[in-house]
Amino acid sequence: QVQLQQPGAELVKPGASVKMSCKASGYTFTSYWMHWVKQRPGQGLEWIGVIDPSDSYTSYNQKFKGKATLTVDTSSSTAYMQLSSLTSEDSAVYYCTRGGRAMDYWGQGTSVTVSS
Amino acid sequence: DIVMSQSPSSLAVSVGEKVTMSCKSSQSLLYSSNQKNYLAWYQQKPGQSPKLLIYWASTRESGVPDRFTGSGSGTDFTLTISSVKAEDLAVYYCQQYYSYPWTFGGGTKLEIK
């Protein structure tokens, strides 16, 4: 069965960077694009960007250009998102989600807390 | 960017009632070459990740109960729950995948009386 495994939580200091992972299993990793979505506490969903694992083509929401960087490691079927220059506005849950039928499978999300 | 608007923002219903919620897009989501509407609905229960319910505006995802129905075309869409169950307590989001950046509506929070 399709699974997207994400670490549960990250605590990072303001101004630092964080790189979170999303390990895919149960399907051919390079056959489906991987999207990333942000959800601040008590708020709605915001699309960050997408990567094609077959060639690392990326497309970003303009709002997150310079903030998020998407990469993949096809040898381990893992997608990564790095967030830089973190502020309190970046404290949120970040989901990876497979781009099959719309966004058909979702990870459990990584909760990022930015605090000194 | 395509703006997605959902209404109402919240509603409270009794078990067994029929529920209808609306989603409107700032431009048409109907792709002329294949006559498909690039609109999806997701359900997010408290403390959980979103779950895909409906894609192509009206195609039910595998395993989704048939009390959930998506309809509409162009810029106006509806999600209907024919007979609400207590387990349907959740926030429902519509989302367009017609063009990047993909965008979500603000959500409709369904509460059970």
Side-chain angles (χ1 to χ4, degrees):
Chain A
Q1 71 283 20
V2 174
Q3 288 190 325
L4 300 175
Q5 291 182 285
Q6 299 184 254
E10 298 272 5
L11 175 62
V12 292
K13 295 188 185 305
S17 297
V18 65
K19 188 173 184 178
M20 63 191 79
S21 62
C22 170
K23 183 171 176 57
S25 61
Y27 71 97
T28 302
F29 181 64
T30 51
S31 296
Y32 295 85
W33 293 29
M34 190 72 77
H35 299 261
W36 292 82
V37 172
K38 177 183 181 180
Q39 186 170 38
R40 297 205 69 200
Q43 302 299 308
L45 303 166
E46 199 168 13
W47 183 80
I48 296 170
V50 64
I51 186 166
D52 179 354
S54 69
D55 61 5
S56 292
Y57 166 82
T58 54
S59 180
Y60 294 93
N61 186 332
Q62 184 69 30
K63 179 178 178 180
F64 292 93
K65 282 187 176 178
K67 170 63 67 176
T69 303
L70 305 182
T71 57
V72 295
D73 177 356
T74 55
S75 68
S76 63
S77 298
T78 303
Y80 297 94
M81 179 172 68
Q82 179 164 320
L83 299 174
S84 61
S85 304
L86 292 165
T87 72
S88 59
E89 295 295 303
D90 299 313
S91 291
V93 175
Y94 294 88
Y95 296 100
C96 60
T97 168
R98 192 183 80 161
R101 302 168 296 283
M103 289 184 274
D104 55 6
Y105 289 93
W106 294 64
Q108 286 303 302
T110 296
S111 177
V112 173
T113 301
V114 181
S115 174
S116 55
Chain B
D1 298 3
I2 298 176
V3 176
M4 305 298 292
S5 302
Q6 290 186 245
S7 62
S9 57
S10 66
L11 71 165
V13 300
S14 300
V15 170
E17 282 189 33
K18 177 180 178 180
V19 164
T20 299
M21 59 189 76
S22 172
C23 173
K24 296 182 187 296
S25 57
S26 61
Q27 64 186 74
S28 177
L29 304 183
L30 179 62
Y31 195 46
S32 56
S33 66
N34 60 10
Q35 288 298 295
K36 288 184 181 290
N37 287 282
Y38 284 61
L39 186 283
W41 289 94
Y42 301 87
Q43 175 192 61
Q44 187 175 31
K45 295 183 177 180
Q48 296 186 15
S49 306
K51 172 189 172 183
L52 176 65
L53 292 178
I54 304 282
Y55 57 99
W56 299 135
S58 61
T59 302
R60 209 175 288 117
E61 174 72 336
S62 175
V64 173
D66 60 8
R67 65 179 181 275
F68 292 92
T69 301
S71 60
S73 184
T75 61
D76 292 290
F77 303 90
T78 300
L79 177 67
T80 301
I81 309 175
S82 60
S83 179
V84 167
K85 294 190 173 185
E87 67 203 51
D88 299 334
L89 165 73
V91 179
Y92 294 84
Y93 294 96
C94 62
Q95 177 248 328
Q96 66 82 18
Y97 50 106
Y98 183 90
S99 66
Y100 290 143
W102 288 8
T103 47
F104 294 87
T108 293
K109 185 176 183 179
L110 178 63
E111 297 173 312
I112 309 297
K113 288 180 185 175

